[in-house]
Amino acid sequence: MSTEQTASGQNHARRFHLPHSHLDSVFGSDWFGVRAEGFARFFGTPTFLIAQTIIVAVWIWVNVVGWTQFDIYPFILLNLAFSLQAAYAAPLILLAQTRQADRDKCNSIADAQHREELHQVNEERQQQMQKQSGLMIEMLQQNTTLTESVQTLLKQNTELTEAVRVLVERIEAMTAEVHIQVAHSGR
């Protein structure tokens, strides 16, 4: 399958979604919005959580053991880092959720239009089937009428055939009688 056929097939499958493709998120589809969504998605991954746990554990261990004491107990810099991370993570997550909500809204509108079109097509098909059923019933009634007419004609034909047979027998009998009389008068 060529690339054009694949693209055409995808466009046909998403034909109800395409009219909404011009609707951008409130925050646009610029690099910032895309990057913000990427970061928000990364914040919820196990990779991020494991990496953050390892960094915090090493941070605390290095300062408690005494290798260096750039952030002594109660770990003010670590708390500041967490606060900074939270200050940026929350708006980025909200931004990503807003963008996703916009996409979901457009998709739900397109899905509703698709369902409505399917409903209309279904109703049209049902109406066509009712018309065809009506035509079929009418044709069956006509067929029944024609069959009755054929049966009547067959009955009449049988009666005519019987009448012809009786007449043929009479003609044969009369022919035989005439033949006998002609033969007796000729002697």
Side-chain angles (χ1 to χ4, degrees), residues 17-25 29 106:
H17 296 267
L18 289 177
H20 303 287
S21 62
H22 71 284
L23 298 175
D24 282 336
S25 171
S29 58
C106 291

Side-chain angles (χ1 to χ4, degrees), residues 32-101:
F32 181 76
V34 173
R35 296 290 181 232
E37 279 187 290
F39 284 124
R41 289 180 201 280
F42 179 67
F43 286 145
T45 63
T47 304
F48 173 77
L49 294 174
I50 291 170
Q52 180 175 333
T53 303
I54 291 171
I55 290 171
V56 168
V58 168
W59 182 297
I60 292 172
W61 187 71
V62 165
N63 283 289
V64 168
V65 170
W67 281 4
T68 182
Q69 296 207 343
F70 63 88
D71 188 19
I72 58 172
Y73 183 82
F75 309 113
I76 304 287
L77 285 177
L78 184 61
N79 283 327
L80 179 64
F82 278 138
S83 297
L84 185 64
Q85 176 187 354
Y88 280 99
L92 289 176
I93 291 170
L94 288 174
L95 179 118
Q97 287 176 340
T98 303
R99 290 169 58 91
Q100 186 60 45

Side-chain angles (χ1 to χ4, degrees), residues 174-185:
M174 288 174 73
T175 303
E177 215 176 281
V178 169
H179 191 293
I180 291 173
Q181 285 181 2
V182 170
H184 281 301
S185 63

Side-chain angles (χ1 to χ4, degrees), residues 1-10:
M1 187 181 273
S2 72
T3 308
E4 291 176 12
Q5 289 174 334
T6 304
S8 174
Q10 289 172 348

Side-chain angles (χ1 to χ4, degrees), residues 28 37 43 58 61 102 108 125 130 133 136-137 144 153 165 184 186-187:
E37 279 187 290
F43 286 145
V58 168
W61 187 71
D102 289 345
S108 68
R125 286 183 181 166
Q130 287 174 350
S133 296
M136 183 80 85
I137 289 170
T144 302
L153 289 173
R165 186 185 62 77
H184 281 301
R187 283 188 190 182

